Amino acid sequence: MSSPFFLYLHGFASGPTSEKARFFAVRLAERNVDLAVPDLNEGEGGFFGLTVTRALRQVEEILFRSGARERGAVLLGSSLGGYLAALAASRNPEVQAVVMMAPAFDLPARWQHILGNEVIARWRSEGQLEVDHYAWKRKEAISFAFYRDSLGHPPYPKVECPGLVLHGVYDAEVPVGTSRKFVSLCPNVRLVELESDHALVDVLDRMWEEAEAFLAPWLPAQGA
């Protein structure tokens, strides 16, 4: 039987060369697993045109092309990517397991909390908002369509496959309470709370320990 397809989804205003993406690619390579890491900034309209719907379509196209319907898939994701991984898992039965790092559940509420009503109103009026793009290390504009589109997706997707959430208790961007609520709605998902913030880069080794143990049924046998 062929091994499942492993896919990593990066966060908002990040990219496929993020520290976590590279870390998990290396660790999984040591277990003889190739990790696909697409660039969610690509697509119609580039980063400016990014929406949850567009990114989810990109993920599902990748799953289709990978043969995941026959071989199965394992998704990993960080922040927005973690939320996308949960959405994809809720919609695609070929997803057999999902690892979510500081997943950005209840996305519109997160933006409302961070930006406030005044900035959201200006974003709506002007049609775009400048944000820090961490991968490109510069300011980039994002269309208000990103926020408007996010309102049409479930804040807490129903994930029925086995799942693992890794979330920092000091996360100011996506409070750990959102993941606590998510796991209360999804009995097959376990939450591990870590002494870290939203970035989680200071607990990479601990995250790998948790992820490797969780993913054991889908990883090739060591030494195989």
Side-chain angles (χ1 to χ4, degrees):
M1 178 180 291
S2 60
S3 59
F5 174 67
F6 279 72
L7 179 66
Y8 182 96
L9 306 174
H10 64 75
F12 177 80
S14 184
T17 60
S18 72
E19 187 170 357
K20 287 194 290 292
R22 289 185 284 110
F23 175 85
F24 277 90
V26 169
R27 289 292 178 270
L28 285 167
E30 293 170 352
R31 294 297 308 270
N32 296 314
V33 169
D34 291 325
L35 181 65
V37 189
D39 190 345
L40 301 178
N41 299 294
E42 296 179 346
E44 185 177 353
F47 176 72
F48 179 81
L50 173 65
T51 62
V52 173
T53 296
R54 191 193 80 181
L56 187 58
R57 186 187 313 121
Q58 182 180 352
V59 170
E60 292 179 337
E61 288 173 354
I62 292 169
L63 290 175
F64 178 77
R65 293 197 305 269
S66 73
R69 288 184 180 176
E70 293 75 33
R71 59 191 287 207
V74 173
L75 304 184
L76 299 88
S78 171
S79 194
L80 174 61
Y83 174 58
L84 286 169
L87 279 174
S90 74
R91 292 159 49 101
N92 298 275
E94 62 266 34
V95 177
Q96 300 175 346
V98 58
V99 177
M100 298 152 280
M101 303 165 226
F105 297 123
D106 203 6
L107 191 60
R110 301 282 63 75
W111 282 90
Q112 195 81 33
H113 172 74
I114 292 169
L115 298 177
N117 292 333
E118 185 177 336
V119 175
I120 293 286
R122 187 167 69 247
W123 188 6
R124 179 185 295 108
S125 173
E126 297 178 357
Q128 64 180 46
L129 177 73
E130 282 206 338
V131 298
D132 292 318
H133 198 293
Y134 308 111
W136 299 344
K137 297 180 172 56
R138 62 176 186 259
K139 292 282 189 181
E140 284 289 329
I142 183 79
S143 170
F144 185 72
F146 177 84
Y147 181 84
R148 184 175 58 243
D149 175 82
S150 70
L151 296 168
H153 292 274
Y156 295 96
K158 186 171 178 54
V159 173
E160 297 184 349
C161 69
L164 173 67
V165 176
L166 303 166
H167 209 131
V169 295
Y170 307 121
D171 191 332
E173 295 180 42
V174 183
V176 68
T178 59
S179 285
R180 291 171 183 162
K181 180 173 180 178
F182 173 70
V183 299
S184 75
L185 300 170
C186 300
N188 290 329
V189 180
R190 182 170 67 94
L191 169 63
V192 175
E193 299 185 15
L194 302 166
E195 295 286 321
S196 187
D197 56 16
H198 187 66
L200 294 168
V201 293
D202 56 340
V203 289
L204 290 174
D205 289 332
R206 172 73 194 288
M207 288 202 299
W208 171 244
E209 289 175 8
E210 294 286 351
E212 185 180 30
F214 167 72
L215 294 172
W218 297 276
L219 292 172
Q222 287 190 327

